[in-house]
Amino acid sequence: MSQVKASHILLMYAGSARSTATRSKEEAQTQIADLKTQIDGGADFAALAKSYSDCPSGQSGGDLGMFGRGQMVGPFEDAAFGMQVGEVSPVVETDFGYHIIKRTG
């Protein structure tokens, strides 16, 4: 498996890499946990990405397209490559903030 396709929701916080967010790290943790609960309860991943994600990909429902190893930061890549298609990750922390990742291909 050389490439996967995934979508994500990213919540940045004040001080995370490339962040313009003003929320605290604790606020980001609380909000991402709430989003994860909503997704686990059947909420629409793409709709939540459009409403909440701090990544420009949010406008397309969080879709990051296809990517190979070495293109994403380590924890994100490990989660994306470690899931089955259709699976949603637990909350993943990177230098950019907190992610929820959905493997889509």
Side-chain angles (χ1 to χ4, degrees):
M1 176 177 55
S2 60
Q3 288 197 315
V4 296
K5 185 176 183 190
S7 296
H8 79 141
I9 297 170
L10 168 63
L11 292 188
M12 294 178 153
Y13 51 85
S16 64
R18 298 187 202 158
S19 177
T20 55
T22 56
R23 71 174 71 87
S24 69
K25 186 172 183 177
E26 293 72 26
E27 288 168 331
Q29 278 180 309
T30 300
Q31 189 176 4
I32 200 86
D34 179 60
L35 293 172
K36 174 67 172 144
T37 299
Q38 291 181 53
I39 291 163
D40 289 347
D44 184 87
F45 190 97
L48 290 177
K50 282 182 183 173
S51 296
Y52 297 102
S53 184
D54 292 327
C55 181
S57 68
Q59 295 311 302
S60 55
D63 185 14
L64 295 170
M66 300 291 290
F67 56 90
R69 291 209 178 263
Q71 291 183 259
M72 301 290 178
V73 292
F76 188 100
E77 179 182 291
D78 290 345
F81 277 86
M83 292 188 292
Q84 300 299 314
V85 173
E87 199 173 346
V88 176
S89 73
V91 174
V92 175
E93 185 176 2
T94 71
D95 291 344
F96 297 99
Y98 295 104
H99 308 258
I100 302 169
I101 306 162
K102 182 175 183 178
R103 170 96 182 264
T104 56

